[in-house]
Amino acid sequence: MIPAPDASSVDFAPAPDPAQPSAVAIDGHTVCAYHTLPRSLQLVVSAIGTPYENAADHVPTYRLLELLPSSAVGGASSALSVPDLWAAIYALHTLFHTQETIPVVFSSAFTNAPELSAYLLNSGLARKRHTLPGDASGASEPEHFLLRDTFWAGAGIAGYHTRGWLRGSFARRAETGPFPCTESFTRTPLVIASHPLRPPKPPQGEVIYANYIPSIGQTLTVTSFDLDGVATGCEPDGTSVHLATFHRWHNSDHVHRGWGERGPLEKHRAYVRELVNHPGVLPVMMSWDGELMGYAEIVYVKENHVGAYVLGGAWDYDRGLHVLLGDLKFRGRHRSRAWYSSLQHLSFLDEPRTLRIVGEPKESNQSMVDVCTATNLHVNHVFDFPYKRSSMVYMPRERFQRQDFLGMIAGLVGQDAPKSERTQAKL
């Protein structure tokens, strides 16, 4: 079972014979099936029209899957809804996460195959075989290549359904398109910068992102900091659960070593209040299956003090992440890779004009630098704040989207694997 981001469950009933259909059920109802056909395909792009066109053996080759309606495996329908197709694709990209593409074809038994094909192509979830300009031969071919990079970039969600990773006001903003670009300005003791106006932040305590991590078997959720306890509740003394937890974490030795913010409750209330009121900073709390485990600040770099240290200047939609692990029972590189990569995923999904994540962990904080490099950020240079020496790390959008997201979280990226005919991943 694979929980989808909207908490619906996607279940597989694998057939003993790979050539036979494996059923896909959502919340206990079979919606479709798939099986492997005795054909393999590769998506060749740059070699088309060159002498290498029919000899591009460096391009991965994958087995073709046929998608079938539920009626093929004893179900009642010969059609498939768009939201259920996305959930099935979500499951396929989880099972076959090492594959850059998943070649699929719709069975002729589908009564709404043209609608499903149009959805895949118009949303960018899939494409047809690449052809030269003026050659329309690929358009009539039935095979579709599901694209891993566009899937994790959120293709096929906004305007179609609500099954995606973004929740609440973040999901609603994705539906309406990017926030308009108009000039704004920040002036503080540390920042003087012109930058785009930022959209309103989500209400306190709103869940803005959810992602099930198969290799951990738990769901990570990201919630807007509930300073006043309006959504997540308060302790008996009236302090919000988020603030009381934040206060406890900052007075622990392991967090104090990295953040240096040990102090009384009122100090921490004032600290968070300033961030809640700052249009360029979103403080959030992270949870595993509803249990609080960490804190993060998602910032726009241009109006943050790190912006002055970005070589060549900060870009308008650069995002930065300041993070801490609060509960030590959730430590470990595996979990750290999961939540740090998920924060990157959230940042890229939220703002399509964000082209890179910029971080500045303390150079001597080797564990945090290791988390950055383990999640494929690179150290661009080392620089000095007045109060610490930091490593400047970058994650370009292109790298994030093209990587094996789930394999990287599980620590599988970089291991040897056959270039073609890659096997199904075990959950």
Side-chain angles (χ1 to χ4, degrees):
M1 189 271 287
I2 308 170
D6 67 343
S8 58
S9 62
V10 184
D11 295 282
F12 289 88
D17 181 352
Q20 296 301 311
S22 296
V24 180
I26 299 175
D27 291 335
H29 301 285
T30 300
V31 297
C32 66
Y34 73 91
H35 68 146
T36 304
L37 297 178
R39 291 181 56 205
S40 296
L41 298 176
Q42 59 179 191
L43 180 62
V44 177
V45 179
S46 61
I48 298 296
T50 76
Y52 301 96
E53 180 172 349
N54 296 312
D57 58 1
H58 60 286
V59 179
T61 302
Y62 305 114
R63 294 295 291 271
L64 176 65
L65 303 182
E66 183 178 28
L67 302 182
L68 307 106
S70 65
S71 56
V73 288
S77 178
S78 295
L80 179 62
S81 71
V82 162
D84 287 349
L85 174 57
W86 186 90
I89 291 171
Y90 168 80
L92 290 176
H93 277 299
T94 302
L95 288 167
F96 300 99
H97 64 84
T98 62
Q99 296 188 193
E100 298 169 14
T101 65
I102 303 175
V104 300
V105 62
F106 290 107
S107 165
S108 60
F110 274 112
T111 57
N112 67 331
E115 174 196 0
L116 301 178
S117 175
Y119 164 64
L120 293 183
L121 299 175
N122 291 334
S123 69
L125 274 171
R127 61 172 295 170
K128 292 293 191 80
R129 176 178 62 84
H130 186 66
T131 59
L132 292 175
D135 179 3
S137 61
S140 61
E141 295 176 356
E143 295 85 1
H144 299 69
F145 291 87
L146 300 177
L147 305 172
R148 184 178 66 189
D149 60 339
T150 63
F151 171 77
W152 289 108
I157 298 173
Y160 294 103
H161 57 81
T162 58
R163 290 196 185 276
W165 300 277
L166 296 182
R167 324 296 317 147
S169 54
F170 271 37
R172 291 190 292 273
R173 187 160 71 226
E175 292 280 337
T176 58
F179 192 73
C181 182
T182 189
E183 185 182 14
S184 188
F185 200 87
T186 292
R187 184 185 299 274
T188 72
L190 296 176
V191 177
I192 300 177
S194 174
H195 55 81
L197 178 70
R198 306 308 181 185
K201 294 192 285 189
Q204 292 188 36
E206 182 178 79
V207 175
I208 58 174
Y209 176 88
N211 190 13
Y212 176 75
I213 308 299
S215 54
I216 293 176
Q218 291 184 304
T219 295
L220 177 78
T221 54
V222 179
T223 305
S224 179
F225 200 104
D226 194 356
L227 179 61
D228 301 317
V230 295
T232 57
C234 295
E235 300 287 351
D237 65 357
T239 304
S240 77
V241 172
H242 279 188
L243 180 59
T245 305
F246 180 88
H247 171 63
R248 184 176 68 253
W249 287 345
H250 274 286
N251 282 302
S252 66
D253 290 340
H254 75 279
V255 171
H256 179 67
R257 280 194 297 271
W259 281 65
E261 292 290 343
R262 177 174 280 157
L265 179 66
E266 290 310 310
K267 172 185 176 179
H268 294 141
R269 189 191 307 276
Y271 176 93
V272 177
R273 180 73 68 189
E274 181 179 354
L275 299 184
V276 167
N277 293 331
H278 193 307
V281 183
L282 177 62
V284 299
M285 296 289 273
M286 298 178 288
S287 304
W288 285 113
D289 281 353
E291 188 173 356
L292 292 171
M293 69 84 178
Y295 167 82
E297 295 163 8
I298 305 174
V299 307
Y300 284 99
V301 174
K302 260 207 163 180
E303 49 262 56
N304 187 265
H305 63 281
V306 71
Y309 297 89
V310 177
L311 294 180
W315 300 345
D316 279 351
Y317 295 96
D318 281 350
R319 302 299 281 271
L321 301 173
H322 304 150
V323 299
L324 70 83
L325 173 67
D327 192 330
L328 287 177
K329 80 176 183 180
F330 294 114
R331 63 186 167 185
R333 293 190 69 183
H334 193 179
R335 288 187 183 273
S336 297
R337 283 194 296 261
W339 56 255
Y340 197 64
S341 294
S342 293
L343 288 173
Q344 297 171 42
H345 190 212
L346 163 61
S347 300
F348 285 128
L349 286 175
D350 172 50
E351 176 48 82
R353 292 165 293 191
T354 292
L355 299 180
R356 63 183 177 183
I357 305 295
V358 178
E360 35 86 10
K362 184 186 295 185
E363 187 194 28
S364 60
N365 187 352
Q366 191 59 49
S367 61
M368 192 62 235
V369 174
D370 287 347
V371 168
C372 292
T373 55
T375 53
N376 288 337
L377 286 87
H378 69 272
V379 178
N380 191 65
H381 64 284
V382 175
F383 69 100
D384 292 318
F385 284 119
Y387 55 91
K388 70 171 182 177
R389 171 162 287 195
S390 289
S391 298
M392 183 75 73
V393 296
Y394 290 157
M395 168 59 81
R397 175 182 283 271
E398 295 87 349
R399 181 186 302 154
F400 182 87
Q401 289 183 191
R402 289 175 181 269
Q403 69 184 352
D404 174 6
F405 181 49
L406 296 180
M408 185 274 303
I409 289 172
L412 301 177
V413 171
Q415 295 185 1
D416 292 335
K419 184 173 293 184
S420 60
E421 308 297 347
R422 297 179 185 176
T423 57
Q424 178 170 311
K426 293 182 179 179
L427 293 180

